[in-house]
Amino acid sequence: RGTEEHRSRRVTEGPAYQPSLYDRTFDVRVIRSKRRKRSVAARLAGRLITVTIPAWMSKHEESESVREMIKRFERKTATLSIDLVDRARKLASTYRLPEPASIEWADDLTAVWGLCTPSTAQVRVSARLVGFPMWVLDYVIVHELAHLVVDRHDAEFWKVVNRYPKAERAIGYLIAKSGSDDDQC
């Protein structure tokens, strides 16, 4: 197609690339498209990430967009090794909590670490937790399962959450990671 520029490169080469937490290597193909006006799109097929960007983007914006897409796919790949359903089942049993109807990773949770909808018993866990210690992930799951017992953040709720022995430690860890002093973790 005449409106697109195709380039392929190995992302581990070049001065701008920084190895990630997950030490994964992807092949990246960048397509500059005159039809794409504002957004960046990416697709993973095997080890190849195809990133389509607007033709007007600078090299710096391209680099940042590619880096962000690599990070997203690294998180997505890493989430596959953690069975949230099994972890939730074990934590619910251990801490006398109800099991969720469903629990899944969410890439779009950026302001919170987890989200529970008590009316449907659905739990979503931020994929940003990938790479954190497992006891922190377990705390977030326990916190969300506690909402199936008490749907507000009151003393009764925190009593349920504190059945998890590392709750206070995990809250401190999450506060440090979020840069927030909000205790509603």
Side-chain angles (χ1 to χ4, degrees):
R1 292 176 230 169
T3 62
E4 298 176 348
E5 173 188 326
H6 299 274
R7 289 186 293 112
S8 295
R9 63 187 164 108
R10 191 76 151 160
V11 298
T12 54
E13 296 174 357
Y17 178 76
Q18 295 292 320
S20 76
L21 171 67
Y22 313 107
D23 195 31
R24 298 226 181 244
T25 302
F26 291 100
D27 291 321
V28 175
R29 178 178 174 198
V30 176
I31 301 172
R32 289 182 165 270
S33 173
K34 291 180 182 175
R35 289 179 286 172
R36 186 161 288 281
K37 300 299 180 199
R38 289 186 296 215
S39 63
V40 174
R43 187 177 64 237
L44 177 65
R47 304 295 301 154
L48 175 67
I49 300 174
T50 303
V51 181
T52 307
I53 63 171
W56 56 261
M57 274 192 162
S58 70
K59 293 290 184 188
H60 175 72
E61 291 168 317
E62 172 187 327
S63 177
E64 290 301 312
S65 295
V66 168
R67 188 167 304 163
E68 177 60 31
M69 293 303 164
I70 290 169
K71 191 164 45 169
R72 287 183 188 183
F73 283 114
E74 286 172 334
R75 278 194 306 254
K76 184 71 172 172
T77 303
T79 62
L80 299 175
S81 67
I82 301 171
D83 186 344
L84 285 179
V85 173
D86 185 55
R87 288 196 88 74
R89 186 178 308 116
K90 288 176 182 172
L91 290 165
S93 174
T94 301
Y95 300 107
R96 303 175 324 276
L97 296 164
E99 289 185 28
S102 67
I103 184 169
E104 62 186 24
W105 292 105
D107 291 324
D108 60 348
L109 290 183
T110 57
V112 295
W113 298 109
L115 191 61
C116 177
T117 307
S119 62
T120 60
Q122 294 177 317
V123 173
R124 298 175 66 220
V125 176
S126 175
R128 295 179 302 143
L129 291 163
V130 170
F132 286 14
M134 291 308 277
W135 53 268
V136 175
L137 172 61
D138 288 349
Y139 162 76
V140 172
I141 294 170
V142 167
H143 179 109
E144 300 311 326
L145 295 180
H147 282 301
L148 298 176
V149 178
V150 181
D151 66 353
R152 58 203 173 280
H153 288 116
D154 62 8
E156 183 183 353
F157 171 80
W158 291 109
K159 185 177 179 181
V160 173
V161 169
N162 285 323
R163 292 177 190 168
Y164 182 66
K166 294 184 180 178
E168 188 174 337
R169 183 177 174 199
I171 289 168
Y173 186 94
L174 293 171
I175 288 170
K177 286 297 185 179
S178 68
S180 166
D181 59 358
D182 183 5
D183 65 351
Q184 298 299 309
C185 290

